[in-house]
Amino acid sequence: MTISQALRLRRSLLAERLPNRPVLLFSGRERARNYPGNSYPFRASSHFLYFAGWNHPGLTVLLEGGRAVLFYDFPESEDVVWHGSGLSEQELKARFAFDEIRPSSRLSEVQGATSLPLAEAAEQLEVMGRVPDLTEDRELAEAVVFLRLDHDACAQQQLRQAGRATVQAHRAGMAATRRGATEWQVRAAMDFELIQHGMPHSYQPIVTRDGQVLHNNAHENTLIDGDMILADFGAETLEGWAADVTRCWPVSGRFSQRQREIYQVVLKAQQEAIKAVKPWAEFRHIHLLAARVLTEGLIDLGLLVGKPDDLVERGAHALFFVHGLGHLLGLDVHDMEDLGDLAGYAEGRHRSPQFGLCYLRLDRTLKPGMAVTIEPGFYWIDRLLDDPEVLKPFADCVRPDVIQAYREVKGIRIEDDLLVTEQGHENLTPGLPTTLEEVERAVTGAVTASRS
Ligand code: GLY
Ligand code: MN
Ligand code: MN
């Protein structure tokens, strides 16, 4: 399925769900770094890309009865001097299946259109100085979520492409790691792979020896033996589809004893969770399954004491596994999170107030066509584990003396991307070293066996 075929299909499916309703979607605008001539790299709104395909700023598309009208001003001579003449009308129609292209001055003629409840809609209209009669539309948001949850053949192909480039980037990062290198140098090796593929990142990369800081985007440290890199790093295809992968590897090429012990526990939680990914499974149950496997492992190692089910119910595992098991993946790395929990949570379901579970981003029944990440982790976060007040409710089940011995582990997360299929699932990020032995071999340069 080509991109233009997919765009036509998506527009007609939207029209079937919402007949007789004109919809306006906005690509968004460029943001100045400090003055307008020097902007941040532009990336269009994912909803816009899903139906209109063109990653270009300042655009509006009108979807009506399956037709797509693009509002666009072809560059005038001064623009052409600085930016070139861009795509012709014929090229735009061929590539993105636009049925008609109108100058943006005609946007004010649009009557009775709705849009998604996003700030960018109002903002873009304001910038253009033309405000059609526009309302926010909950039914539209629900219809968009319904369609974007079920990845069509074109989207699946894109997700595989992003996954392949991401796997190569992680392999390159492993191979480039050595004592005395900086985190930046490891990241540079990973970036090199993405640039070779002509792909940007799908989110700001994490490449750090301090993986216990969950969103750690700094890369200044020089690596020494005993450090372990946590790399959470994903590619985005030119059409905007994301991968999201995490691996951890030892700088010396050999995990320490404590690192090995915890790595095995996290890996087992990930493997059990991956096995459970299939149609009609509840993602929340898979999260709790991973929490239980992790808890059993921590009991075996002596960090926790008690019955696994009781500990999971009380949230004791969340002292170490503080976040949810995963999230939707698609055009956004956390797909459609701009709509709050509308995409992540099925109707009538809500976030738990319990620490740990409150960070679960997905509570839906899995269906073929959905893509999710599976990413259990273990983190030694001193703000939690050194605080007697935090540990107090768990005094009977946490062994402070034992957990102190695992401080050096810092952060371990193992993350892969899965497409739910009729038969079960497809790993979108196959072939990446995952077991302790595979990872050690990839760092030291020995030939690695691959996992599918
Ligand atoms: N890279 C963000 C996440 O794993 O959810
Ligand atoms: Mn993720
Ligand atoms: Mn990630």
Side-chain angles (χ1 to χ4, degrees), residues 374-385:
I374 295 290
E375 49 178 310
F378 172 101
Y379 310 94
W380 214 106
I381 301 173
D382 50 13
R383 276 296 180 93
L384 299 178
L385 301 180

Side-chain angles (χ1 to χ4, degrees), residues 203 232 244 246 375 415:
Y203 53 93
D232 187 343
D244 180 13
T246 308
E375 49 178 310
E415 175 174 28

Side-chain angles (χ1 to χ4, degrees), residues 60-245:
T60 304
V61 74
L62 172 67
L63 303 176
E64 193 167 17
R67 290 183 84 245
V69 178
L70 175 70
F71 290 86
Y72 173 58
D73 299 318
F74 285 93
E76 295 183 355
S77 49
E78 203 190 354
D79 299 324
V80 173
V81 170
W82 293 100
H83 303 293
S85 41
L87 296 173
S88 68
E89 176 161 354
Q90 219 176 7
E91 285 167 328
L92 285 173
K93 287 183 170 172
R95 273 174 66 172
F96 304 113
F98 294 121
D99 297 287
E100 195 185 331
I101 300 177
R102 294 182 193 158
S104 55
S105 58
R106 292 192 54 196
L107 195 50
S108 54
E109 295 168 10
V110 177
Q111 296 295 319
T114 62
S115 191
L116 292 168
L118 300 173
E120 73 197 14
E123 198 182 58
Q124 188 163 328
L125 286 169
E126 203 177 304
V127 169
M128 296 170 91
R130 285 175 268 273
V131 184
D133 167 21
L134 185 68
T135 54
E136 289 183 352
D137 186 339
R138 167 93 184 190
E139 273 178 14
L140 169 62
E142 285 169 354
V144 168
V145 166
F146 179 86
L147 295 178
R148 285 186 56 188
L149 278 174
D150 183 4
H151 296 305
D152 54 40
C154 174
Q156 293 182 16
Q157 212 39 49
Q158 291 283 314
L159 290 169
R160 285 186 200 104
Q161 241 185 58
R164 278 196 295 272
T166 300
V167 165
Q168 289 187 27
H170 277 261
R171 281 184 174 277
M174 291 176 191
T177 298
R178 61 186 189 284
R179 72 178 68 89
T182 60
E183 295 162 335
W184 266 120
Q185 287 171 318
V186 178
R187 170 164 167 188
M190 302 179 82
D191 281 357
F192 182 80
E193 282 299 323
L194 287 207
I195 294 166
Q196 295 268 44
H197 284 84
M199 292 188 196
H201 304 112
S202 50
Y203 53 93
Q204 217 178 320
I206 297 167
V207 180
T208 178
R209 66 178 192 187
D210 290 318
Q212 77 281 13
V213 180
L214 295 182
H215 286 168
N216 188 344
N217 299 125
H219 311 299
E220 271 80 28
N221 292 308
T222 298
L223 301 168
I224 56 171
D225 279 350
D227 283 342
M228 192 176 45
I229 289 276
L230 181 151
D232 187 343
F233 186 101
E236 176 177 292
T237 64
L238 283 184
E239 286 73 19
W241 296 83
D244 180 13
V245 168

Side-chain angles (χ1 to χ4, degrees), residues 216-373:
N216 188 344
N217 299 125
H219 311 299
E220 271 80 28
N221 292 308
T222 298
L223 301 168
I224 56 171
D225 279 350
D227 283 342
M228 192 176 45
I229 289 276
L230 181 151
D232 187 343
F233 186 101
E236 176 177 292
T237 64
L238 283 184
E239 286 73 19
W241 296 83
D244 180 13
V245 168
T246 308
R247 285 294 184 278
C248 298
W249 58 85
V251 167
S252 68
R254 185 103 185 117
F255 287 99
S256 74
Q257 183 56 31
R258 299 287 189 225
Q259 290 166 352
R260 301 184 92 71
E261 288 168 2
I262 298 294
Y263 191 97
Q264 288 286 36
V265 170
V266 176
L267 181 58
K268 186 158 186 225
Q270 199 220 18
Q271 288 170 336
E272 295 297 316
I274 287 177
K275 275 193 230 154
V277 172
K278 54 182 157 221
W280 314 116
E282 289 292 342
F283 195 81
R284 185 191 185 83
H285 295 167
I286 305 177
H287 168 82
L288 292 171
L289 167 72
R292 190 197 148 102
V293 174
L294 190 105
T295 301
E296 285 167 354
L298 298 183
I299 291 171
D300 289 345
L301 292 173
L303 286 84
L304 294 173
V305 188
K307 295 207 173 84
D309 285 336
D310 292 347
L311 297 190
V312 169
E313 200 181 324
R314 287 169 60 190
H317 64 282
L319 291 168
F320 309 98
F321 174 26
V322 290
H323 55 69
L325 180 66
H327 47 82
L328 296 166
L329 181 75
L331 277 162
D332 307 308
V333 65
H334 294 173
D335 211 24
M336 297 178 274
E337 209 170 273
D338 57 335
L339 297 172
D341 279 340
L342 195 66
Y345 276 62
E347 203 181 338
R349 301 185 190 182
H350 303 285
R351 296 231 182 189
S352 159
Q354 189 183 52
F355 182 74
L357 210 48
C358 65
Y359 299 119
L360 183 61
R361 292 190 148 93
L362 177 57
D363 185 1
R364 276 189 178 274
T365 311
L366 297 182
K367 303 212 174 108
M370 285 169 74
V372 299
T373 65

